[in-house]
């Protein structure tokens, strides 16, 4: 391993380690787990936990860390999970998730693209630590760096389409497809952070339980996607037979059906934001794409600066987020993963380390 690889590495420890001169020692407080029953957050064979959502407390700062470092011992921080080569212009601009020198890497360099989580972490790039203000609960803060940031970045990308819709029709429609826990972030940001009353949020779900959760979470409307229904039937149900088309679709599923419905449910000039990770192929004629003048944007992550902006916004507005969570002690990780696998958790599973 060369010096560059060593610098990229984020180490994890079960017992308190020494602080390296160029590192920052962080004690884990909370770690978020996925809700998807297909989650790969826990490696049963290796008895190892992976997470992209970490909140911790700075214990010490190495004596070789830059004097411009903005964190100090005692600070509560969240950890930005993406890491590039640290040398290129893209990384220097705060967008390491777009790095072309080290594509697809995260701070732990795990196969899943998440951190390897334990009681302690050593971070070698202080810029990846974002101070968490006291106005934001730690269990909420730990959820911000990954999926919440992706949803926030998607909504920022959607703003031009919303503005266009309001100019044309006086209001805009946002369709959010699938993954109820992430739908709740969409609702929370639009209703409580941006407070845009001109945007109507419609959620599409395949289960009555998730549909009810979306409505309870503040969605303006929700549509049940019946299992086995054709694309045409789903489009008709979603758009009320074409009378209520969408201006923006945030697709949290990312399969061929959800994409096709999203495309056909849009007004001309609308925008599709793809966050789903199913990775299925779609067949879309370029002539039709041009004819409808539809924009398609994939949102892999957000920048470090966007995460800092999100944290500041939540702290200043003191938003009360209605994201359901279930906390487990860190020693109870197998129980948490088991409940996720059996779909017994309707919200976000979080491990508590102290």
């Amino acid at each position: 391993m060369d010096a560059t690889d060593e610098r990229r590495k984020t180490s994890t420890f079960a017992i308190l380690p020494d602080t390296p001169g160029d590192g920052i020692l962080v004690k884990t407080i909370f770690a978020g787990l996925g809700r998807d029953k297909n989650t790969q957050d826990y490696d049963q064979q290796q008895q190892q936990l992976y997470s992209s959502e970490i909140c911790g407390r700075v214990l010490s700062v190495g004596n070789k860390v830059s004097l411009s470092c903005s964190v100090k011992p005692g600070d509560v921080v969240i950890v930005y999970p993406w890491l590039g080569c640290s040398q290129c212009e893209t990384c220097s601009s705060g967008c390491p998730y777009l790095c072309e020198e080290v594509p697809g890497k995260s701070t732990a360099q795990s196969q899943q693209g998440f951190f390897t989580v334990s009681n302690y972490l050593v971070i070698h790039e202080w810029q990846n630590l974002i101070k968490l203000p006291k106005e934001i609960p730690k269990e909420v803060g730990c959820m911000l760096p990954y999926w919440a940031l992706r949803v926030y970045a998607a909504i920022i990308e959607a703003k031009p389409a919303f503005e266009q819709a309001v100019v044309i029709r006086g209001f805009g429609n946002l369709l959010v497809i699938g993954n109820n826990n992430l739908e709740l972030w969409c609702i929370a940001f639009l209703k409580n952070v941006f407070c845009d009353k001109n945007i109507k949020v419609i959620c599409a779900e395949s289960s009555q339980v998730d549909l009810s959760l979306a409505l309870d979470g503040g969605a303006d409307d929700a549509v049940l996607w019946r299992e086995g229904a054709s694309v045409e039937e789903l489009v008709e149900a979603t758009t009320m037979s074409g009378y209520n088309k969408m201006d923006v679709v945030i697709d949290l599923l990312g399969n061929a059906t959800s994409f096709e419905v999203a495309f056909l449910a849009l007004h001309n000039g609308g925008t599709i934001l793809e966050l789903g990770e199913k990775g299925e192929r779609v067949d879309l004629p370029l002539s039709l794409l041009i004819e409808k003048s539809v924009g398609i944007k994939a949102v892999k992550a957000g920048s470090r600066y966007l995460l800092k902006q999100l944290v500041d916004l939540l702290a200043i507005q003191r938003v009360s987020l209605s994201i359901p969570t279930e906390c487990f002690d860190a020693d109870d990780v197998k129980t948490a993963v088991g409940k996720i696998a059996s779909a017994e958790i309707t919200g976000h599973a979080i491990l508590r380390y102290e």
Side-chain angles (χ1 to χ4, degrees):
M1 179 182 291
D2 63 24
T4 303
D5 287 333
E6 184 63 36
R7 183 173 57 252
R8 285 193 207 119
K9 190 177 179 183
T10 291
S11 306
T12 59
F13 303 88
I15 59 175
L16 183 65
D18 293 331
T19 305
D22 64 345
I24 298 173
L25 179 61
V26 176
K27 171 71 172 70
T28 306
I29 301 175
F30 287 105
L33 290 173
R35 174 179 178 253
D36 190 341
K37 67 182 179 181
N38 297 314
T39 181
Q40 298 296 311
D41 290 351
Y42 186 67
D43 187 325
Q44 297 278 1
Q45 184 175 0
Q46 299 295 325
Q47 299 284 293
Q48 182 62 65
L49 172 69
Y50 302 101
S51 176
S52 51
E53 302 173 331
I54 303 292
C55 175
R57 180 177 291 103
V58 175
L59 296 184
S60 58
V61 178
N63 57 13
K64 295 181 182 178
V65 173
S66 170
L67 294 177
S68 59
C69 175
S70 61
V71 299
K72 62 184 185 302
D75 285 344
V76 174
V77 295
I78 55 177
V79 187
Y80 181 78
W82 295 98
L83 194 63
C85 70
S86 307
Q87 305 296 320
C88 68
E89 293 177 346
T90 301
C91 290
S92 299
S93 70
C95 300
Y97 69 97
L98 297 176
C99 179
E100 296 178 0
E101 301 299 323
V102 191
K105 294 288 186 179
S106 77
T107 39
Q109 300 185 17
S110 70
Q111 186 176 358
Q112 291 83 352
F114 294 163
F115 289 106
T116 304
V117 182
S118 192
N119 295 315
Y120 303 95
L121 297 89
V122 172
I123 307 295
H124 290 272
E125 290 190 43
W126 65 265
Q127 296 93 337
N128 286 333
L129 297 176
I130 309 294
K131 287 184 184 179
L132 190 69
K134 62 179 182 303
E135 291 84 2
I136 301 178
K138 300 179 187 67
E139 60 271 24
V140 171
C142 86
M143 295 188 286
L144 299 180
Y146 190 70
W147 274 112
L149 176 60
R150 289 186 71 186
V151 170
Y152 182 72
I155 292 175
I156 295 295
E157 292 282 353
K159 288 187 72 175
F162 287 143
E163 292 167 355
Q164 175 180 276
V166 171
V167 169
I168 295 173
R169 286 175 287 277
F171 66 94
N173 283 337
L174 166 65
L175 174 65
V176 186
I177 302 176
N179 200 323
N180 185 265
N181 198 39
L182 304 182
E183 286 181 333
L184 294 178
W185 282 112
C186 293
I187 297 167
F189 289 152
L190 275 173
K191 298 295 184 180
N192 301 315
V193 178
F194 294 103
C195 303
D196 196 334
K197 297 181 180 179
N198 294 315
I199 306 302
K200 181 180 179 182
V201 183
I202 301 99
C203 294
E205 280 292 353
S206 58
S207 81
Q208 188 64 51
V209 172
D210 285 344
L211 185 144
S212 298
L213 281 171
L215 290 171
D216 291 343
D220 296 291
D221 202 356
V223 56
L224 186 64
W225 280 14
R226 181 172 51 83
E227 186 177 356
S230 67
V231 167
E232 292 74 17
E233 289 171 330
L234 294 176
V235 171
E236 184 171 339
T238 303
T239 65
M240 298 174 63
S241 301
Y243 289 102
N244 193 40
K245 288 190 173 183
M246 305 299 147
D247 299 289
V248 176
V249 179
I250 295 180
D251 182 9
L252 301 170
L253 292 181
N255 58 38
T257 298
S258 64
F259 180 84
E260 190 171 355
V261 173
F263 187 83
L264 295 174
L266 278 177
H267 280 294
N268 288 350
T271 297
I272 297 175
L273 295 157
E274 274 295 337
L275 279 72
E277 298 180 330
K278 295 291 185 182
E280 295 185 7
R281 298 177 66 90
V282 295
D283 183 13
L284 180 63
L286 287 177
S287 58
L288 182 58
L289 182 65
I290 295 169
E291 177 67 26
K292 285 180 65 68
S293 193
V294 166
I296 302 172
K297 171 77 174 181
V299 183
K300 176 182 177 180
S303 69
R304 285 193 299 248
Y305 303 111
L306 203 59
L307 178 57
K308 180 66 166 60
Q309 180 186 103
L310 173 59
V311 168
D312 291 343
L313 193 58
L314 293 177
I316 292 170
Q317 297 192 200
R318 302 195 178 189
V319 175
S320 178
L321 298 171
S322 57
I323 308 297
T325 60
E326 188 167 347
C327 273
F328 299 84
D329 288 336
D331 293 338
D332 223 8
V333 61
K334 289 185 179 179
T335 299
V337 172
K339 294 187 74 171
I340 292 172
S342 58
E344 295 179 55
I345 296 177
T346 56
H348 206 93
I350 297 173
L351 293 182
R352 183 192 302 109
Y353 281 77
E354 66 173 40

